[in-house]
Amino acid sequence: MATPVDSEPIQLLVTGGTFDKEYNELTGELFFQKTHIADMLRLGRCRLAVTVETLMMIDSLEMTDAGRQSILERCEASPAKRIVITHGTDSMEQTAAVLGRGIAGKTIVLTGAMVPYQFGSSDGMFNLGTAIGFVQALPPGVYVAMNGRCFPWHSVRKNRELGIFELAGES
């Protein structure tokens, strides 16, 4: 990776989700092996001071209250004031709400993907790039960044019919 430019450090926390799913061609099942975030940052020619840490590798449908508490505690313990979290889209709003109610003084942006990175047609690269941009530009608070848009934690919802994130009450 190229030498980082002088920037405020960004902590990137990996929790799994579609970003990091792999496809088993024999069984047709999706599974987790390792995170692709370092590859995505390299391919995107990221020149920022980003530290990547894998907290868990799970589908967000399997995210528990204990898992959300673990993410909250890690965000609180991080010396970084700017944090990006990769997360599955099915329960991203719930995790954002836990963080929004529990964290002050940091800018935290959750993002995800609808299509796994390994498929080649993933929205993950775009969503990761915009999340990194938003985390640098937004004031302290908790946000969800998807599809080029950014939403405060308390007014976002996943529209399951359209497969997009939107302001609560927007559709």
Side-chain angles (χ1 to χ4, degrees):
M1 188 183 302
T3 304
V5 295
D6 188 24
S7 67
E8 189 171 348
I10 298 170
Q11 175 78 57
L12 201 153
L13 302 176
V14 176
T15 69
T18 300
F19 254 111
D20 286 318
K21 286 192 173 177
E22 305 269 350
Y23 179 70
N24 182 322
E25 294 178 13
L26 299 177
T27 66
E29 294 176 333
L30 295 172
F31 66 98
F32 293 104
Q33 186 169 347
K34 65 177 183 69
T35 185
H36 303 291
I37 298 301
D39 292 336
M40 294 169 79
L41 293 170
R42 182 182 49 77
L43 288 171
R45 299 174 54 89
C46 181
R47 304 254 342 262
L48 303 172
V50 178
T51 303
V52 179
E53 178 181 343
T54 301
L55 295 182
M56 57 191 78
M57 294 285 281
I58 62 170
D59 186 293
S60 70
L61 291 172
E62 298 172 3
M63 182 65 72
T64 63
D65 290 341
R68 287 184 182 87
Q69 186 63 34
S70 175
I71 295 168
L72 173 67
E73 290 169 3
R74 184 61 193 104
C75 287
E76 289 173 331
S78 175
K81 297 290 184 205
R82 302 190 180 278
I83 301 171
V84 172
I85 301 171
T86 62
H87 196 289
T89 62
D90 286 313
S91 68
M92 192 182 304
E93 305 113 305
Q94 293 93 325
T95 300
V98 168
L99 298 175
R101 287 191 286 275
I103 300 254
K106 295 186 180 202
T107 305
I108 300 174
V109 179
L110 290 88
T111 194
M114 299 294 197
V115 178
Y117 169 76
Q118 287 289 45
F119 283 21
S121 60
S122 177
D123 54 334
M125 286 283 288
F126 179 73
N127 291 337
L128 180 62
T130 57
I132 289 172
F134 283 130
V135 82
Q136 294 175 83
L138 291 169
V142 176
Y143 307 88
V144 170
M146 290 289 294
N147 315 109
R149 297 181 72 189
C150 193
F151 310 94
W153 69 269
H154 52 76
S155 59
V156 64
R157 76 177 194 102
K158 181 178 180 180
N159 182 324
R160 284 161 173 43
E161 291 176 14
L162 298 178
I164 62 170
F165 281 78
E166 60 190 14
L167 288 172
E170 187 174 63
S171 56

